[in-house]
Amino acid sequence: MALLPILHYPDARLHKKARPVDVVDDRIRRIVRDMAETMYEAPGIGLAATQVDIHERIVVIDVSENHDDLLVLINPVITWKSEETQVYEEGCLSVPGVYDEVRRSARIKVEATNENGERYGFDAEGLLAVCVQHELDHLEGKVFVEYLSYLKQSRIKTKLRKLERQSA
């Protein structure tokens, strides 16, 4: 297993739309393992392949308190969203140190394929629903800060570019 470098906003590669995975094979399972290791090490509760410059529809999530309940979503699709919404403070491994409130559907239904190539579905609410929607946005090339005002986006870009220059 290997830690993967995480792209940081406003990197243009974060806006690239991910393509579907054709076959779940050893290459995909290795990507899943590396993504999970990267997410846990970061530490985070979700990671989309787009964030590690792999533009395939793969997501790993673990919202459990003990970080021992890995959820693998390959070619995930949200099949239903509630009209009821909720506001959660979100953060992102690709936007370090930035947290802000985003309104999303309170409940969703999801279909995906696991690392064994098996199709499955589940219902999600609360933090899991937020995390799934956040990560699937990444697969579409969207970062959570794009839900914020233009002014906030501009400030975040400036802050992250400054941090990047300081660490270079």
Side-chain angles (χ1 to χ4, degrees), residues 1-141:
M1 293 197 289
L3 291 177
L4 303 169
I6 298 172
L7 300 177
H8 290 137
Y9 181 79
D11 192 307
R13 294 171 290 181
L14 289 168
H15 299 292
K16 188 172 179 183
K17 191 170 178 176
R19 66 184 177 280
V21 171
D22 292 326
V23 178
V24 179
D25 55 14
D26 287 342
R27 181 184 72 83
I28 296 298
R29 283 186 280 277
R30 185 173 49 258
I31 290 170
V32 166
R33 285 191 307 271
D34 291 347
M35 285 177 59
E37 183 180 354
T38 302
M39 175 188 71
Y40 288 129
E41 180 70 24
I45 60 170
L47 185 67
T50 302
Q51 293 176 268
V52 291
D53 204 18
I54 298 170
H55 301 282
E56 294 181 77
R57 297 188 69 79
I58 306 168
V59 168
V60 294
I61 293 173
D62 188 344
V63 296
S64 68
E65 288 199 23
N66 296 327
H67 307 293
D68 59 359
D69 191 18
L70 183 66
L71 187 60
V72 175
L73 295 90
I74 299 169
N75 296 330
V77 177
I78 295 173
T79 59
W80 176 83
K81 291 181 176 186
S82 68
E83 288 184 25
E84 177 192 355
T85 60
Q86 62 187 353
V87 174
Y88 257 81
E89 185 177 71
E90 295 187 25
C92 182
L93 296 176
S94 290
V95 193
V98 174
Y99 301 89
D100 214 316
E101 293 182 340
V102 176
R103 179 174 298 280
R104 297 187 185 272
S105 293
R107 294 181 316 284
I108 59 173
K109 292 182 183 288
V110 182
E111 290 183 5
T113 300
N114 67 19
E115 65 273 26
N116 298 317
E118 301 160 339
R119 201 80 182 142
Y120 71 104
F122 62 94
D123 296 349
E125 60 184 348
L127 181 58
L128 180 57
V130 169
C131 192
V132 169
Q133 292 172 84
H134 176 112
E135 299 307 332
L136 269 61
D137 274 355
H138 278 299
L139 299 180
E140 297 301 319

